[in-house]
Amino acid sequence: MTAEPPGEVTSPGGGRDAVDWDALREAAQQVMRRAYVPYSRYPVGAAALTDAGDVVVGCNVENAAYGVTLCAECSLVSALITGGGGRLVAFTCVDSRGEQIMPCGRCRQLLWEHGGPELLVDSVAGICTMNEVLPGAFGPEDLGRGQRET
């Protein structure tokens, strides 16, 4: 789902300082309240800024068959794609207390695919790039490597 930003989320100049992280965190907290978590009772909200300046959000959606539960990041990327696509440029994820949490390994891979190595991540250690979160990541460009010529 694409969200209306709770105020400006970018400022002139680009880079880490161009993102209004407080506004992005607020968007994540708002969508976290919509999480469907009857089993874990652990709601998670995620928000990201796209290269077009849009804010996309997602929350976790649990299922009684635990393996098919959707993380907030999955929900966010689904919203990105159904909203017309684009690239993620800044990302945050929060728990029910509004505290930053790190994406799981599966979701780090998903974020890499849709944001790349320069995606800014609001991590528990501060703002970093996806390349710092997932060094040496496997991406679409790696799919052709190692294939034999026939």
Side-chain angles (χ1 to χ4, degrees):
M1 110 186 309
T2 301
E4 288 300 316
E8 289 296 313
V9 293
T10 58
S11 60
R16 296 173 195 234
D17 297 332
V19 177
D20 182 344
W21 290 101
D22 290 334
L24 209 54
R25 290 178 195 122
E26 177 60 29
Q29 287 179 42
Q30 287 177 16
V31 75
M32 175 270 305
R33 294 181 187 105
R34 298 181 191 164
Y36 177 74
V37 292
Y39 309 107
S40 72
R41 306 250 186 256
Y42 188 74
V44 175
L49 180 65
T50 71
D51 56 356
D54 297 322
V55 173
V56 290
V57 297
C59 61
N60 52 331
V61 180
E62 293 182 345
N63 188 288
Y66 294 128
V68 294
T69 291
L70 294 177
C71 295
E73 298 88 343
C74 295
S75 177
L76 181 144
V77 168
S78 291
L80 173 72
I81 299 304
T82 59
R87 298 293 288 166
L88 302 176
V89 297
F91 170 85
T92 191
C93 192
V94 301
D95 64 15
S96 63
R97 299 166 298 160
E99 299 292 324
Q100 279 68 46
I101 57 175
M102 289 301 292
C104 69
R106 171 185 169 216
C107 290
R108 290 177 191 200
Q109 184 68 38
L110 190 63
L111 291 170
W112 180 278
E113 178 108 3
H114 296 279
E118 298 305 315
L119 171 63
L120 297 176
V121 177
D122 187 17
S123 81
V124 295
I127 307 302
C128 57
T129 65
M130 266 312 295
N131 201 44
E132 295 168 305
V133 172
L134 193 61
F138 183 89
E141 66 281 355
D142 296 307
L143 292 175
R145 293 185 187 172
Q147 293 181 351
R148 291 185 171 182
E149 298 276 330
T150 57

